[in-house]
Amino acid sequence: MFAKPAYAILPEAPASKEEAAPNDQSTISASQDAGDDPLIAQRIQGIFDELSGFEGIAVEVSEGVVTLSGTLADADAIARAENIAGRVSGVVTVENMIERNLSIEQNLSIIGKMSELLSELVSALPLIAVALLMALVIGAIGYVIAGFRPLWKRLSPNAFLAELVASAIRFVFVIGGLVIALDMLGAGALLGAVLGGAGVVGIALGFAMRDTIENGVTTLSRARSLR
């Protein structure tokens, strides 16, 4: 009666090493199916035909070895072609025989790219103008607020600290204006650099204000003691 339930809860025997071990995709097969080479060549050639500038690349495959020949405009495109061919299933290795095309007609495409960048810059001028205007307005507001020197002198123990507070206010508003302008332009890399620099300057201002406050408190306590 208890034999069958007891057997049911026993752990199963571990799978054999042949079944458990995954197939090693890095090894090269000892044999190759007939017709694989034409299919690989057709697949790679089809990919190149869909990419601009790669249409003239010739592809030959023998025993899984892909040979690329032809010309491309730059070294990056040559490396990209080799990378694409090496990613196709069934490829053993890639012999990259592609040469760089040094003809003037082929390399004049750089001038075309520059013209495209200039046209994009011209079309973005209204947005750049609005972003600059926003940065200037926010910075001007900071300068106006920092210009209330009687208020900062009344709230600060000495004139130097009041000037430091006014400078900090100007700095915060100017950085805020730059951050908003760069965010409007989508300049994420410059935005990170601006925020990093603002953090360093803010730390320096914090230490300066701390030292100034400590010196002011010490001066006031000495003046009171002399009285």
Side-chain angles (χ1 to χ4, degrees):
M1 294 176 60
F2 300 99
K4 187 173 181 180
Y7 177 78
I9 63 175
L10 287 177
E12 295 181 1
S16 63
K17 293 183 179 180
E18 295 181 356
E19 296 178 355
N23 293 328
D24 188 4
Q25 299 295 332
S26 63
T27 58
I28 300 175
S29 177
S31 60
Q32 188 176 16
D33 295 336
D36 282 353
D37 290 341
L39 291 176
I40 294 172
Q42 183 180 0
R43 176 59 173 160
I44 297 174
Q45 193 68 61
I47 295 173
F48 286 161
D49 291 341
E50 295 296 325
L51 298 175
S52 177
F54 288 75
E55 301 88 351
I57 301 300
V59 181
E60 296 180 3
V61 183
S62 176
E63 295 295 328
V65 178
V66 179
T67 302
L68 304 178
S69 59
T71 58
L72 287 174
D74 51 54
D76 292 338
I78 295 173
R80 184 185 178 192
E82 181 177 352
N83 183 34
I84 292 172
R87 290 166 54 190
V88 175
S89 177
V91 174
V92 176
T93 186
V94 179
E95 291 291 331
N96 194 347
M97 307 299 293
I98 302 175
E99 297 179 354
R100 182 179 177 185
N101 190 347
L102 299 178
S103 63
I104 297 176
E105 294 81 7
Q106 184 70 27
N107 289 275
L108 281 178
S109 60
I110 299 176
I111 299 177
K113 293 179 181 179
M114 292 179 62
S115 64
E116 291 178 1
L117 290 176
L118 288 176
S119 62
E120 291 178 0
L121 179 62
V122 171
S123 62
L125 284 178
L127 180 60
I128 294 174
V130 172
L132 289 176
L133 180 62
M134 184 68 67
L136 290 175
V137 169
I138 295 175
I141 293 174
Y143 272 84
V144 170
I145 296 175
F148 298 147
R149 294 185 177 180
L151 176 62
W152 309 125
K153 289 181 179 179
R154 186 176 300 177
L155 298 177
S156 304
N158 54 56
F160 179 76
L161 183 59
E163 184 62 29
L164 192 61
V165 171
S167 300
I169 292 174
R170 287 193 294 266
F171 173 77
V172 169
F173 274 82
V174 169
I175 294 299
L178 287 176
V179 168
I180 293 175
L182 292 175
D183 185 63
M184 290 176 62
L185 296 174
L190 291 177
L191 182 60
V194 169
L195 291 178
V200 173
V201 176
I203 292 173
L205 286 175
F207 279 110
M209 292 182 67
R210 187 193 66 178
D211 295 338
T212 304
I213 292 172
E214 290 178 354
N215 293 332
V217 171
T218 304
T219 304
L220 289 176
S221 60
R222 288 179 180 177
R224 290 178 181 176
S225 62
L226 291 176
R227 292 179 183 177

